[in-house]
Amino acid sequence: PPQNPNPRPGPKPRAPTPNPHAPPPPPPRDTPARSGAMRRAAALIAVAVAAWAQGNGAEEVTWKTPNIVLNNGKWLKIREPFFGDADARPFPPLVDYTAKEDTATVIVLIAALREERLVDTVESILARAQHPERVRIGVVQQNAEGDADALETVCKSRGTPLALRDPSTPHVRLPDEDDWGHGRYTPESLASCPVSGQIRVYRMDASEAKGPVFARAQQIRLLGEDSAQEDFCMQIDAHTIFTKDWDTHMIQEWMMTDNEYAVLTTYPTNFKELPEDGSLPNINGHWEMPHMCKAMLMTPGVVRNAQAGAAANLDAPALCKLWAAGLSFSRCHAETDVPADPHLKQIFTGEEFSRAARLWTHGYDFYSMTRPVIGTYYGNEKGGKGGWHTKVEERRLAEKRLARLLRHKATLQEDLQAGVDVRGLLAGYDLGNRRRFEDYVDLTGVDTINHAYDHTPCRVNRWTPWEEEADKPYMPVESAPAALAPLEMSEELMVKLGIFRKEEGNGEESRTIPENMVVPGVEKQTPVPIIDVVRATPKATQKAMPNLRSGAARLQAAVPVPPRGGVADGGGSSSNKLALGVLALIVLSMVILTRTLTATLALAQTQTQTLTLTPSPTLT
């Protein structure tokens, strides 16, 4: 998004200046001469026009008119009332999360790539929450060695530094380490920093970064499980500041939608607009808010959100058409049912529209908020230390995946001819069945099927109902993906970080896992990486090895185990060799004495049978 997502409209149109040279207007006609029928018809037309104007927001609006949306430089009023008596309505929340006795929890999810403002963001979250004890923070931290760790820095700033169980622990997760990153610290130091229990950090090395979608796909690891899952999930950028009582405001805004599947989303206000005291800023004097409206087609399947439009003087959140990654607030089932796709590696442009299409077809709705609760640093003020190394082939495959997801016609025709199982490839991360994708194309004007764009109004005047034969509300969707597998670390990175080290005596490398990296309550299992098997196996055996598998099976394939009671090679024991030697000597004696001593030969044959059939104790 641009540095200032709050566009200011042009100057208000002035009234036309009277022309002094114009002829005088004609005198009014004799109205009494009109028939009663004509007067009644005119009245009916006036009533009809007024009703249409009220229902469609076409009446004249001013800067201070409530509930207006900017559309092509003109302010339009949102339909009031929005729902008619016969209109279908969203599925309402089953719990009143604004009740005084309610203790709703919020987890703020952040994907950070070497972000210098990350710690300030975490501190702002905690300092300005009305109920900080109900707030959790989940960080997918992609750091280089020497970068500040979010959790460690926050605890250190409070005078309660964390102590590593093993001082040699690197800045990234280790095999079998818990996803929340707490197991590496001593229990005593964690207890001394109470806020540590609210901050979860999934640690990656900066070299593992593959774009924002891949990083955000790891956020699901940081949620509570089952009944411990948080009530609300809030995704933000790692360079964000908060206003006072932001947690209460966000929940209140969400409840005003009266929609269990509401997603509050927009490009946040520029941080420069936020007062230093944490109060809410009145942008442009009429509570103007960025409003997601337009998008641009790039390549097949790749869509980029355009600069945000605007909504103002909102009494309640207003429906919008698109989703923004910089602020997304919803119930956490949106994160578990429709999580970011980990297969979209190297994707930056194309992230938002693809996630929007999946969320919308799964029944979720997007809303612009009434007030700017957070502010974000834009442009060069973000404070990052750089991007990630792009792998062209991974990006090509991800863009092809986007084209399949968004039903690009030419791509699907190629897949059909090649026999590609598109549904199987997208399993877990496909479009939903609660709404038709074609209806989302009509709403947004972004036709990824035919790669065409047709601008549609920024004011949304109708809620789109769910399909009848769809996944039921308030229940997990059947197409939700399985839990993420552990993120494998490259051999190169493991060697660089010293996870592989030389063992004394044999000069070979093996993997060592500190005891403190084992998740409590889980039996430690030392995995066997490929490097162990290949380097410990003779070259002749390596050539004959099948494709390497994982874990203990990989080791068994490399080192065959002889069967019990069998002989490993073609030779025998010393006793067997002695028996063969005696038998050979007897046979040779028989050949020499055959022609002269028949009786002796018979006796020798008898002895041979005795030795063969009845082995001596030595042979046995």
Side-chain angles (χ1 to χ4, degrees):
Q3 293 190 18
N4 185 3
N6 297 292
R8 297 176 182 266
K12 300 178 182 179
R14 295 180 297 177
T17 304
N19 184 358
H21 304 288
R29 298 183 62 180
D30 185 14
T31 52
R34 295 182 181 180
S35 67
M38 292 181 63
R39 288 196 300 271
R40 287 193 297 271
L44 289 173
I45 292 174
V47 171
V49 170
W52 176 88
Q54 176 68 18
N56 292 276
E59 73 271 24
E60 183 180 357
V61 300
T62 67
W63 194 255
K64 295 296 185 179
T65 301
N67 303 311
I68 54 178
V69 172
L70 189 64
N71 185 75
N72 290 335
K74 181 179 180 180
W75 291 101
L76 302 177
K77 185 171 177 58
I78 298 173
R79 174 185 173 187
E80 293 182 12
F82 190 85
F83 291 103
D85 294 337
D87 290 343
R89 295 173 180 254
F91 298 94
L94 300 180
V95 177
D96 181 4
Y97 295 100
T98 58
K100 290 184 178 180
E101 65 275 9
D102 192 76
T103 56
T105 55
V106 180
I107 181 169
V108 183
L109 300 171
I110 308 171
L113 174 57
R114 305 199 67 192
E115 293 277 358
E116 294 178 308
R117 296 190 185 276
L118 172 60
V119 173
D120 292 338
T121 298
V122 173
E123 293 284 14
S124 180
I125 293 170
L126 297 172
R128 288 187 168 167
Q130 184 174 11
H131 301 286
E133 73 280 0
R134 304 181 196 170
V135 175
R136 311 289 182 264
I137 301 171
V139 181
V140 178
Q141 180 176 270
Q142 302 163 102
N143 273 3
E145 190 172 2
D147 291 342
D149 183 90
L151 175 56
E152 293 179 7
T153 306
V154 168
C155 286
K156 185 177 180 180
S157 68
R158 284 162 168 71
T160 54
L162 298 179
L164 292 168
R165 293 187 179 185
D166 182 353
S168 64
T169 302
H171 65 282
V172 298
R173 73 203 177 283
L174 288 182
D176 295 334
E177 183 176 5
D178 61 292
D179 284 344
W180 295 1
H182 292 162
R184 58 178 51 205
Y185 303 109
T186 62
E188 296 78 12
S189 65
L190 287 171
S192 69
C193 180
V195 75
S196 65
Q198 297 174 245
I199 303 173
R200 308 160 186 173
V201 182
Y202 185 72
R203 295 175 174 85
M204 299 171 58
D205 187 76
S207 65
E208 296 180 282
K210 296 180 182 294
V213 187
F214 181 74
R216 289 181 177 122
Q218 314 307 318
Q219 291 174 169
I220 197 171
R221 303 178 188 274
L222 301 169
L223 302 183
E225 296 183 357
D226 301 326
S227 61
Q229 186 177 101
E230 293 72 23
D231 296 302
F232 293 95
C233 286
M234 181 178 185
Q235 177 180 291
I236 62 169
D237 288 333
H239 34 268
T240 300
I241 57 176
F242 286 69
T243 58
K244 187 178 179 181
D245 299 339
W246 64 267
D247 51 336
T248 300
H249 288 155
M250 292 300 299
I251 295 175
Q252 289 174 343
E253 291 262 353
W254 184 87
M255 284 296 297
M256 281 194 290
T257 67
D258 198 28
N259 184 350
E260 174 72 15
Y261 292 84
V263 181
L264 305 176
T265 184
T266 191
Y267 288 148
T269 300
N270 195 300
F271 80 99
K272 297 177 181 178
E273 304 279 1
L274 269 58
E276 294 184 1
D277 63 0
S279 58
L280 299 174
N282 185 352
I283 306 298
N284 291 342
H286 66 162
W287 297 105
E288 190 171 302
M289 288 294 298
H291 185 72
M292 306 305 299
C293 175
K294 299 179 181 180
M296 296 176 288
L297 282 163
M298 311 301 285
T299 57
V302 179
V303 182
R304 177 182 179 182
N305 283 357
Q307 179 178 351
N313 297 325
L314 296 178
D315 295 329
L319 274 174
C320 61
K321 302 185 294 183
L322 302 171
W323 177 83
L327 171 58
S328 178
F329 185 92
S330 66
R331 295 276 279 118
C332 280
H333 52 65
E335 288 292 327
T336 55
D337 285 355
V338 197
D341 187 350
H343 302 93
L344 294 181
K345 300 175 182 178
Q346 314 297 332
I347 291 296
F348 180 78
T349 300
E351 170 193 9
E352 294 171 310
F353 188 83
S354 62
R355 185 83 181 275
R358 291 176 54 220
L359 285 166
W360 195 86
T361 56
H362 278 90
Y364 292 89
D365 297 292
F366 312 126
Y367 292 84
S368 294
M369 297 165 53
T370 68
R371 300 291 185 266
V373 176
I374 65 172
T376 296
Y377 291 84
Y378 288 102
N380 296 329
E381 295 176 296
K382 293 179 180 179
K385 293 183 179 180
W388 72 94
H389 177 68
T390 300
K391 294 183 179 180
V392 177
E393 180 61 18
E394 284 186 343
R395 185 176 65 187
R396 185 190 68 81
L397 292 174
E399 290 177 348
K400 189 70 170 289
R401 184 177 179 87
L402 286 175
R404 288 166 172 153
L405 171 72
L406 300 178
R407 307 305 192 250
H408 181 244
K409 186 181 297 182
T411 300
L412 295 184
Q413 288 175 347
E414 294 175 1
D415 289 339
L416 181 62
Q417 295 175 357
V420 176
D421 179 13
V422 176
R423 297 289 186 183
L425 288 176
L426 298 175
Y429 302 95
D430 202 350
L431 301 175
N433 65 6
R434 286 171 171 161
R435 291 190 178 117
R436 298 169 63 249
F437 178 60
E438 291 79 5
D439 292 335
Y440 191 58
V441 170
D442 292 340
L443 174 67
T444 62
V446 182
D447 184 359
T448 55
I449 301 172
N450 300 296
H451 197 67
Y453 179 72
D454 181 21
H455 173 65
T456 57
C458 294
R459 177 187 57 189
V460 179
N461 268 346
R462 177 179 176 270
W463 178 77
T464 305
W466 290 14
E467 295 291 302
E468 293 183 1
E469 301 297 327
D471 289 326
K472 301 303 179 184
Y474 311 111
M475 299 291 292
V477 298
E478 297 179 0
S479 60
L484 286 179
L487 187 59
E488 293 293 334
M489 196 178 300
S490 69
E491 176 185 328
E492 180 182 2
L493 179 58
M494 286 191 287
V495 173
K496 174 184 175 182
L497 298 176
I499 298 177
F500 285 114
R501 66 189 185 194
K502 295 285 185 180
E503 293 289 350
E504 297 181 2
N506 58 15
E508 295 178 351
E509 292 180 344
S510 64
R511 190 174 192 165
T512 56
I513 304 175
E515 292 292 335
N516 62 297
M517 291 297 98
V518 181
V519 182
V522 179
E523 183 179 357
K524 174 183 168 185
Q525 295 180 350
T526 304
V528 184
I530 293 177
I531 188 172
D532 286 351
V533 177
V534 174
R535 295 187 181 181
T537 306
K539 292 183 178 180
T541 308
Q542 291 179 27
K543 294 180 180 179
M545 286 173 63
N547 292 334
L548 294 173
R549 296 182 292 279
S550 62
R554 187 184 297 136
L555 182 60
Q556 292 173 2
V559 185
V561 179
R564 292 185 178 181
V567 180
D569 56 17
S573 65
S574 59
S575 299
N576 291 337
K577 292 179 180 179
L578 178 61
L580 291 174
V582 172
L583 181 61
L585 181 60
I586 294 173
V587 172
L588 180 60
S589 301
M590 289 172 57
V591 172
I592 297 173
L593 298 176
T594 297
R595 295 182 181 179
T596 56
L597 300 171
T598 302
T600 304
L601 178 60
L603 179 60
Q605 289 175 344
T606 302
Q607 292 176 348
T608 302
Q609 293 174 1
T610 302
L611 287 173
T612 303
L613 298 176
T614 309
S616 66
T618 302
L619 293 177
T620 303

